[in-house]
Amino acid sequence: MAGLAESGSNPDVDLLYDINGLAKDAPPWFDRVMEFVGEYGLLFAIVLLVLWCWWSGRRREDEDAASSVAALVWAPLAAGIAVLVNVPIRGFVERPRPFLDHQGLEVLVSGKTDYSFVSDHATIVMAMAVGLFVANRRFGLVALVLAVFGGFIRVYMGVHYPTDVVGGFALGTAVALLLSPVAMALLTPVARAVERSPRLGWVVRAGGRSGGEGDAVIPGARSERAAGASERDLAA
């Protein structure tokens, strides 16, 4: 991978110059906006989407609130795990930043001295977006669009090759999807325990703790107490 950066005659570098060339033609104020959005804005927007999804989802009494909250918790955890997985990848590939090997790039952020492949930003935003998509399709689609736009901005800023971004998207997606079953198996019981807590139940369900242990949580299911009462009515 590092060898690709040494030549300007490959599609990766050509696309880098094409996208980064837009920054040269843009006014300075627009580049400052893109710099902020690329560094902080889009990640903050996806975090807000996760919080919005949590706030709206916990208010729906007809859904399995504990499973929904567990899936939302997995989104940032997946991003953190994906970044940890990326640490040995970056050390193995050792790909320099594009502006170190190529002249004439418009670099909007200075001080980037770590390796380029895989992009941490692309990994984080895509892992969170895919995790959110697993929890909620509507919010997840918006997050996926933001994540793809964030990857574009990283190339626009001159701090990553396009393949750095694609690699980050692949890594974030793989971690969020492949580890999701294990994460849900571990997080859902924790969310159910929190839901039954008299003090922390509001985190999972807007109405606080959900009745007793016999109350149904799965949509469409009846509690054992209600089922017993129905049987006694029929017997009478």
Side-chain angles (χ1 to χ4, degrees), residues 16 29 108 118 153 171 177 188 194 202 221:
L16 165 67
W29 66 266
L108 302 187
V118 175
I153 295 181
L171 177 59
L177 289 182
T188 301
V194 172
W202 62 270

Side-chain angles (χ1 to χ4, degrees), residues 30-228:
F30 184 80
D31 284 346
R32 299 289 78 81
V33 171
M34 294 290 277
E35 174 188 346
F36 176 81
V37 172
E39 283 287 289
Y40 312 105
L42 287 177
L43 178 58
F44 182 68
I46 293 178
V47 171
L48 286 181
L49 279 176
V50 173
L51 293 176
W52 186 6
C53 185
W54 162 74
W55 182 258
S56 61
R58 62 190 279 274
R59 301 170 67 87
R60 299 177 183 175
E61 297 294 336
D62 59 333
E63 292 186 357
D64 189 348
S67 295
S68 299
V69 171
L72 290 174
V73 171
W74 169 237
L77 289 179
I81 293 174
V83 170
L84 293 178
V85 173
N86 189 30
V87 172
I89 295 177
R90 299 183 78 158
F92 176 76
V93 177
E94 295 184 346
R95 188 183 200 185
R97 294 281 181 169
F99 54 81
L100 297 177
D101 289 328
H102 303 282
Q103 302 296 322
L105 292 175
E106 184 75 11
V107 183
L108 302 187
V109 179
S110 60
K112 299 286 185 180
T113 58
D114 54 343
Y115 294 124
S116 185
F117 185 90
V118 175
S119 168
D120 276 339
H121 275 78
T123 301
I124 292 173
V125 295
M126 185 54 72
M128 290 192 65
V130 172
L132 181 56
F133 182 79
V134 171
N136 186 289
R137 298 293 188 270
R138 180 165 56 92
F139 284 93
L141 284 175
V142 177
L144 287 172
V145 172
L146 293 178
V148 172
F149 182 57
F152 172 84
I153 295 181
R154 301 305 292 177
V155 182
Y156 178 95
M157 295 165 60
V159 295
H160 280 294
Y161 294 95
T163 48
D164 298 338
V165 172
V166 173
F169 287 167
L171 177 59
T173 301
V175 170
L177 289 182
L178 295 181
L179 298 183
S180 178
V182 177
M184 291 301 296
L186 296 175
L187 293 174
T188 301
V190 176
R192 294 194 191 283
V194 172
E195 184 181 17
R196 293 191 294 268
S197 171
R199 293 187 177 182
L200 299 178
W202 62 270
V203 174
V204 176
R205 190 179 295 273
R209 60 182 300 180
S210 59
E213 293 182 1
D215 289 344
V217 177
I218 300 176
R222 296 185 303 168
S223 66
E224 295 179 0
R225 187 182 309 169

